[in-house]
Amino acid sequence: MKAVVYQGPFNVTVEEVEDPRIEEPLDAIIRITTSNICGSDLHPYEGRAELEQGMVIGHENMGIVEEVGSAVNRVKVGDRVSVPFNIACGTCRNCNEGFTSACLRANPTGTPGAGYGYPKMGGYWGGQAELLRVPWADFNLLKLPEGKEHESDFTLLSDIFPTGYHGSELAGVSPGHSVVVFGAGPVGQLAAYSSLIRGASQVFVVDKEPDRLALAERLGATAINFANEDPTEVVMNATSGVGADCGIEAVGYQAHDATGQEHPEMVLDNLIQAVRATGHIGVVGVYMPQDPGAANDLAKQGRIAFDYGTAFTKGISIAGGQCPVKKYNRYLRDLIIAGRAEPSLIVSHEVGLDEAPDAYEKFDKRVDGYTKVLLHP
């Protein structure tokens, strides 16, 4: 099959590789119709998260079931499905408690949590390819309506729509709440969008990229360009000096200021200032246990020196972690089907698999207008 293969930092190629095959009775093989480039893919792309050379990448996948193992009885050949980026067994303690993002069996290293085409997630090949092997298919796959309708909406169910919604859940967004989201990348956009779906009265989105801030405004949020104004001051003025009820961190460990200098604690510090006393912060931006390329020695060890003292004094609750996609994806699917959600509003480009290397380069460089790229094998 044809696939996008990681060769090293800033180097992905499209190669012919061996087709996946059924390895276990609960496996399925999916013929990919759409796979997406995720902001998280840029961490290995930039060499900031170690990935094995030769790995097929891509964890945001959907397609048609082409083959099933002998024990698969819920999904069948021909089904259109969304593939959560979490790989989960469905039977371990964490899966039984709904934490499919921390499955205790799927990762051969013994680390909780597994996924496709990503560092330290079990070595499973990704889906920026023509075919994908899905373990525990009956449990993991989400059935979709037949046909091609809502393709660019449904493809976002594998990760960023549930992850954005997870951010709003962790932050405790409820009707009437004010929300500030730091980061106007795809996850930040859908965290803001999810907050509006949940009934937020005000949603602020903080970033410095004009095209992304313009998109946030089109989604219904108030844009704040931190290169030109102090986001805390803007939020305080708009909330009668109290601060936002809820904050969402959608940037992660590579946060940088308007000059491009990296400050891994910057977003957390800003959120602690902008969120009101006894408010809530949800962290869905990625942080790493080790980051050899970090800006300081503490961050290289995964230690982020943020203003926890003020957070404690203000009684702010902080929650974070990888999104358990299955907790949300069927409900978000039904919102799309009912016409109540259209997450594809953030999609900027749809290209063929052969164009993936160019799309990676432009997405990584934040070329104007490159917000979310879909790949069609």
Side-chain angles (χ1 to χ4, degrees):
M1 68 175 180
K2 187 183 295 185
V4 180
V5 179
Y6 179 80
Q7 303 293 357
F10 304 102
N11 184 9
V12 298
T13 57
V14 179
E15 308 283 346
E16 290 288 334
V17 300
E18 185 178 353
D19 288 357
R21 58 183 177 81
I22 298 292
E23 298 178 19
E24 300 289 344
L26 290 170
D27 286 355
I29 303 298
I30 310 303
R31 180 162 294 279
I32 298 294
T33 55
T34 306
S35 182
N36 317 324
I37 300 177
C38 180
S40 296
D41 291 326
L42 298 183
H43 301 316
Y45 180 76
E46 294 173 352
R48 293 291 292 272
E50 186 177 353
L51 185 62
E52 178 186 352
Q53 183 179 1
M55 170 68 78
V56 176
I57 50 183
H59 58 269
E60 299 186 2
N61 308 304
M62 68 173 290
I64 307 297
V65 177
E66 180 140 307
E67 184 181 358
V68 297
S70 60
V72 174
N73 56 30
R74 186 181 67 85
V75 297
K76 62 183 185 301
V77 172
D79 282 347
R80 186 189 189 200
V81 292
S82 172
V83 186
F85 80 90
N86 317 122
I87 300 175
C89 72
T91 57
C92 72
R93 176 176 179 171
N94 286 348
C95 285
N96 271 300
E97 293 183 357
F99 296 105
T100 54
S101 52
C103 177
L104 298 171
R105 295 177 60 208
N107 196 324
T109 68
T111 302
Y116 301 95
Y118 201 76
K120 304 185 189 312
M121 297 298 281
Y124 297 90
W125 274 12
Q128 290 176 12
E130 294 177 314
L131 298 167
L132 175 71
R133 171 184 167 243
V134 176
W136 295 288
D138 272 340
F139 181 70
N140 284 299
L141 293 176
L142 175 70
K143 289 187 181 182
L144 302 171
E146 294 180 1
K148 297 182 178 180
E149 190 177 12
H150 300 303
E151 181 82 10
S152 57
D153 293 303
F154 289 149
T155 193
L156 304 183
L157 290 172
S158 57
D159 181 356
I160 63 166
F161 194 13
T163 295
Y165 195 90
H166 185 54
S168 68
E169 175 80 3
L170 293 175
V173 178
S174 293
H177 277 165
S178 55
V179 184
V180 57
V181 180
F182 276 76
V187 168
Q189 299 282 358
L190 290 180
Y193 189 58
S194 296
S195 297
L196 291 166
I197 288 173
R198 291 167 70 107
S201 59
Q202 295 175 291
V203 178
F204 307 92
V205 174
V206 182
D207 205 292
K208 66 179 181 62
E209 303 297 333
D211 60 321
R212 295 185 171 192
L213 290 169
L215 175 57
E217 289 192 325
R218 290 198 294 275
L219 294 177
T222 299
I224 302 174
N225 189 330
F226 72 81
N228 303 326
E229 52 190 347
D230 181 348
T232 297
E233 185 176 320
V234 174
V235 172
M236 286 294 180
N237 288 339
T239 57
S240 303
V242 175
D245 298 301
C246 311
I248 300 174
E249 204 284 21
V251 178
Y253 70 110
Q254 288 182 256
H256 51 272
D257 63 25
T259 70
Q261 186 172 353
E262 193 165 295
H263 303 274
E265 78 291 339
M266 183 180 76
V267 174
L268 291 169
D269 282 350
N270 274 274
L271 279 166
I272 289 164
Q273 293 298 320
V275 170
R276 67 170 173 85
T278 72
H280 304 272
I281 295 173
V283 181
V284 288
V286 172
Y287 287 84
M288 303 292 287
Q290 297 90 30
D291 176 22
N296 59 63
D297 289 339
L298 278 177
K300 288 177 181 179
Q301 303 172 53
R303 297 176 180 272
I304 309 301
F306 70 100
D307 188 10
Y308 182 71
T310 299
F312 180 85
T313 300
K314 293 176 70 174
I316 294 173
S317 301
I318 303 175
Q322 191 183 103
C323 171
V325 171
K326 280 177 61 66
K327 180 177 180 180
Y328 310 108
N329 63 354
R330 69 183 61 251
Y331 305 109
L332 298 178
R333 173 201 63 188
D334 293 346
L335 282 174
I336 292 168
I337 293 170
R340 300 293 299 277
E342 190 179 354
S344 62
L345 290 168
I346 73 162
V347 173
S348 59
H349 294 78
E350 300 188 52
V351 301
L353 206 61
D354 288 332
E355 298 174 71
D358 178 66
Y360 263 94
E361 181 180 8
K362 289 178 177 175
F363 185 44
D364 181 60
K365 291 180 177 178
R366 311 296 194 271
V367 170
D368 188 61
Y370 266 75
T371 304
K372 187 63 178 178
V373 182
L374 310 187
L375 302 174
H376 298 295

